[in-house]
Amino acid sequence: MVKRLQAWARRRPSLPLWLLGALLLVSTVARLAWIAEPCRAPCRSPIDHILIFDEDYYVNAARVIDRIQPPNGVPYANSPLGTDPNSEHPPLAKLIIAGGIELFGDGPIAWRLPSVFLGTVAILGLFALVRAAGGGTWTALGAAALMAADNLLLVHSRIGTLDIYATAAMIWAAALYLRGRPILAGVVVGVGACAKEVTPYVLLVLIVLELLRWLRRRAGAVAALRRLGWCVVASAATFIALLAALEQIVPPYDPQTGKLVSNLPFGEVWRILTYASHQTSPHGPQGIASYPWDWLVDVKPITYLRIDPGHPTAQLNQIEPAVHFLGMISPPILLLLIPAMLFAAISATGRRFRPRDEVGIVGLAWFLGTYVPFVLLSLLESRTSYLYYMVIVMPGVYIAVADLIRQIGAGRIVCIAWMATVFAAVVVMYPFTPLP
């Protein structure tokens, strides 16, 4: 039966593309479902809708940008209207949310629709990245499916936070770089960096990738340096130019000093860097913070929002429906993270390495370029970190795991059983799955 299915699939080379379309559709619908929930009854005004996790900062910053006074007691309620009070992060994503408010009104569609769209763009980009790395359509489809089925990415691509903006830009930048477009890749990095400052971590990914290539071939160093140089220059130029233009639209405001940020655009770059450097935990992680090595086993998952109408709290009363927004990586995917990275490292240095098939080393380079900096910052500076930082790391995990499954030729029954657990996990962890 299995052999007949394989033969049938080989006779239909377009089948993975059709399945990709179905995957994108189902994933988008899953993230759009209940997009306006939860809400206090009767749900009549914007403040009746409950903001989820860090939406409290970015949505209220977008309101200030749109000259809408946030409710009393929330972040930036006292900031001057028409400014960006969340100036510790670049303004692009908040301006997009503010534009959504202008188009759709101050409500969940405006706050969250850009994230839903970019989540779909990111899944499509992961498919393109695997293909650019020399992977087949089925491997690319597998990586895209893992991304669509991971709870952490599902949650962050349906709430109004910044991480999915950076992730989508990073994925497409890497795909363009592998397609021989380093300048265009740099432009995408620069645009993404104007949404969240971690986007340039993809440049570390590309540096690691070129280093792995050189270690295997011992050739092509000059061409690699030229590609990387053009990409870095294009990234920096795009970021500074776009940041300066955005600051003409909305000036950055520093709530700590009560003043507008001066010496733009470099004044805001300095504020972003210094703000991050002050986020430290010298006595160990407190509250929802965790060490980066904890993330590899899902230590300290974060409850972004939990509402049980049967047992309401004083702050979350008269709210429907039951929700459980959990910031947690899908356990079945996480189970194969370390084996996949070890296999990719062995393949990159062993006889199995094939220059035209770089799927495994792209996954390895992505993981090293995005995860190791968090480890170093934690060890050297006691930098505060959270599990959701793994949002930008996970694309490398999806790629490496998909390549591992392809390369080792695991038994069909084992593979199907594992895929069933991935599907079961996304259903059980879905934010609107009824709580027990």
Side-chain angles (χ1 to χ4, degrees):
M1 179 64 178
V2 172
K3 291 183 178 179
R4 286 198 296 270
L5 288 173
Q6 289 176 326
W8 178 79
R10 282 195 293 270
R11 291 194 298 269
R12 291 161 176 81
S14 64
L15 181 59
L17 298 179
W18 285 101
L19 292 176
L20 175 65
L23 174 70
L24 293 174
L25 177 62
V26 171
S27 174
T28 302
V29 170
R31 285 177 282 116
L32 277 172
W34 296 287
I35 196 69
E37 303 295 346
C39 192
R40 289 185 175 87
C43 188
R44 295 174 179 170
S45 68
I47 62 173
D48 290 329
H49 292 278
I50 306 301
L51 295 176
I52 299 166
F53 195 49
D54 282 349
E55 283 186 337
D56 206 26
Y57 297 100
Y58 308 127
V59 170
N60 283 311
R63 285 169 168 164
V64 173
I65 290 171
D66 269 335
R67 299 182 179 276
I68 298 172
Q69 186 70 48
N72 291 330
V74 305
Y76 316 129
N78 299 317
S79 297
L81 301 181
T83 67
D84 176 12
N86 183 246
S87 56
E88 61 266 29
H89 297 294
L92 180 58
K94 291 160 286 182
L95 275 167
I96 291 174
I97 295 173
I101 292 173
E102 289 283 346
L103 286 174
F104 305 111
D106 187 11
I109 296 297
W111 311 334
R112 297 164 185 163
L113 193 59
S115 294
V116 174
F117 172 75
L118 287 170
T120 302
V121 168
I123 294 170
L124 181 60
L126 198 68
F127 182 92
L129 176 55
V130 174
R131 295 289 288 140
T137 52
W138 286 104
T139 305
L141 177 64
L146 291 178
M147 185 174 195
D150 183 15
N151 171 76
L152 190 66
L153 268 290
L154 184 148
V155 167
H156 276 272
S157 55
R158 62 161 292 134
I159 62 176
T161 55
L162 311 183
D163 305 87
I164 195 63
Y165 290 79
T167 304
M170 293 169 71
I171 291 171
W172 277 103
L176 289 167
Y177 185 89
L178 291 181
R179 289 294 185 186
R181 303 291 183 86
I183 295 177
L184 187 56
V187 170
V188 174
V189 173
V191 172
C194 285
K196 190 165 186 180
E197 61 277 6
V198 295
T199 305
Y201 277 27
V202 73
L203 297 176
L204 300 178
V205 171
L206 300 178
I207 291 170
V208 174
L209 175 61
E210 294 289 10
L211 179 60
L212 291 173
R213 284 172 166 175
W214 181 82
L215 289 173
R216 184 63 178 87
R217 303 169 186 170
R218 300 291 178 174
V222 174
L225 289 173
R226 186 182 300 115
R227 287 191 297 269
L228 288 170
W230 280 116
C231 189
V232 170
V233 169
S235 300
T238 301
F239 172 66
I240 294 300
L242 181 56
L243 183 64
L246 295 174
E247 288 166 344
Q248 295 302 309
I249 300 172
V250 53
Y253 173 76
D254 184 349
Q256 280 74 44
T257 63
K259 299 178 181 178
L260 293 175
V261 178
S262 58
N263 301 319
L264 302 176
F266 299 103
E268 184 169 11
V269 174
W270 180 251
R271 166 151 170 75
I272 291 169
L273 294 175
T274 54
Y275 182 89
S277 68
H278 293 152
Q279 305 304 301
T280 59
S281 301
H283 303 295
Q286 304 294 321
I288 63 172
S290 55
Y291 288 118
W293 41 92
D294 291 336
W295 307 341
L296 303 183
V297 287
D298 258 338
V299 171
K300 281 197 179 181
I302 304 171
T303 300
Y304 293 173
L305 179 67
R306 178 176 178 139
I307 295 176
D308 184 353
H311 299 85
T313 65
Q315 293 79 20
L316 300 175
N317 194 18
Q318 293 183 306
I319 302 173
E320 296 283 351
V323 300
H324 190 194
F325 274 85
L326 185 65
M328 182 176 176
I329 304 166
S330 175
I333 298 175
L334 202 58
L335 179 68
L336 295 184
L337 186 157
I338 294 177
M341 294 306 162
L342 291 175
F343 183 84
I346 293 170
S347 298
T349 56
R351 295 180 179 178
R352 297 180 60 128
F353 178 80
R354 292 175 290 177
R356 294 185 179 180
D357 182 354
E358 298 184 321
V359 178
I361 68 167
V362 168
L364 177 62
W366 191 291
F367 180 77
L368 294 175
T370 56
Y371 175 72
V372 172
F374 291 126
V375 174
L376 294 177
L377 288 171
S378 181
L379 290 173
L380 300 177
E381 298 185 4
S382 300
R383 188 71 62 86
T384 305
S385 55
Y386 306 90
L387 178 63
Y388 69 85
Y389 286 6
M390 280 291 283
V391 170
I392 67 165
V393 180
M394 290 306 297
V397 177
Y398 309 137
I399 293 171
V401 169
D403 188 62
L404 173 68
I405 293 172
R406 176 192 62 156
Q407 296 274 19
I408 65 175
R412 297 294 183 270
I413 294 178
V414 174
C415 183
I416 291 172
W418 179 78
M419 291 171 60
T421 63
V422 172
F423 176 76
V426 74
V427 172
V428 171
M429 300 170 75
Y430 186 72
F432 292 93
T433 299
L435 296 172

